Amino acid sequence: MTTALRWLVALAACFLPGLAQAQQEDAVILVAHPAFRDLEYRQTVLVAAPAPNGGHVGVILNRPTRRSLGSLFPEHEPSKKVIDPVYYGGPFSRGALVALVRTDTAPGAGSVLLMKNLYLAFRANTIDHVIETTPNEARYFVGYVGWRPGELKSEIDRGLWAVQGAELDMVFRKDTENLWEELQQAAKRIRAEAAAAPRVAAIGR
């Protein structure tokens, strides 16, 4: 791995203190409310999981960049094997590289189990190993999203995010252009069905 790539990955580790010691927690999908006007999060879909400090950490799933990993690190030959573009993960530590890795075993030191078969990797040697051995079983991000303890719950309570269970197919979906719109429609249907359920129950009594 080039010096530049190692520096970026090391930077991610500095901004995610203690994450390697996290216990298993299921990740969730966050869907931004249509009224969420912050340009960083407008019409975004995120995967997020608890962090050891009581906060949460995650990445944006539907912001692919126009750059490939190989174009970012042209001197690192294994990076050229990565097919998917690099994604913009969030406004925190924009210069850092992190990876979501699809595997049934930990990909290496400094990797965190987010849910079954999904790890967050942020150490240089781990990401290097993933790129060299299973480059396309991961998705690579520049930057990430972080929340202080209680901050995400507050945002959810205020209605900024709709919460859904995370699925690997969604996390690694190739075409993310209409992902937000599709999840918005699904959330509307769920709300409509939930609102109709009490009326149906009342009629049945």
Side-chain angles (χ1 to χ4, degrees):
M1 182 179 285
T2 64
T3 301
L5 183 52
R6 288 188 180 278
W7 180 83
L8 285 170
V9 179
L11 184 61
C14 291
F15 278 87
L16 297 172
L19 198 55
Q21 288 73 45
Q23 299 298 313
Q24 178 182 356
E25 294 283 357
D26 278 349
V28 294
I29 295 295
L30 302 175
V31 184
H33 190 278
F36 204 153
R37 298 303 181 187
D38 187 323
L39 292 180
E40 294 286 359
Y41 302 111
R42 185 173 179 270
Q43 296 187 354
T44 55
V45 178
L46 283 69
V47 60
N53 66 352
H56 288 76
V57 65
V59 289
I60 298 171
L61 297 176
N62 61 333
R63 290 276 180 87
T65 72
R66 296 183 178 181
R67 301 297 299 274
S68 67
L69 197 65
S71 71
L72 290 178
F73 308 105
E75 298 179 1
H76 186 236
E77 286 299 321
S79 294
K80 298 176 183 179
K81 300 177 183 178
V82 177
I83 297 172
D84 289 343
V86 174
Y87 280 65
Y88 173 66
F92 287 66
S93 188
R94 294 172 189 266
L97 184 73
V98 298
L100 287 176
V101 187
R102 178 167 44 192
T103 176
D104 57 1
T105 58
S111 58
V112 181
L113 180 62
L114 299 184
M115 56 182 283
K116 185 178 180 181
N117 297 332
L118 181 65
Y119 288 80
L120 171 66
F122 58 94
R123 285 192 181 175
N125 58 348
T126 298
I127 294 181
D128 195 15
H129 176 72
V130 170
I131 294 172
E132 292 179 354
T133 58
T134 54
N136 293 301
E137 290 301 315
R139 183 156 288 176
Y140 306 91
F141 300 81
V142 287
Y144 70 99
V145 182
W147 293 267
R148 295 184 299 272
E151 187 175 17
L152 179 56
K153 181 180 184 302
S154 175
E155 291 181 0
I156 293 172
D157 290 345
R158 287 157 50 200
L160 296 180
W161 304 103
V163 181
Q164 300 186 16
E167 298 179 357
L168 282 176
D169 287 346
M170 186 183 300
V171 172
F172 289 97
R173 176 167 156 163
K174 296 289 186 181
D175 179 10
T176 62
E177 183 177 359
N178 298 313
L179 180 59
W180 180 82
E181 289 83 354
E182 291 175 17
L183 293 180
Q184 277 295 316
Q185 291 301 318
K188 287 181 181 179
R189 288 195 298 271
I190 292 171
R191 288 194 294 268
E193 291 170 0
R199 294 196 295 271
V200 173
I203 293 172
R205 285 200 293 269

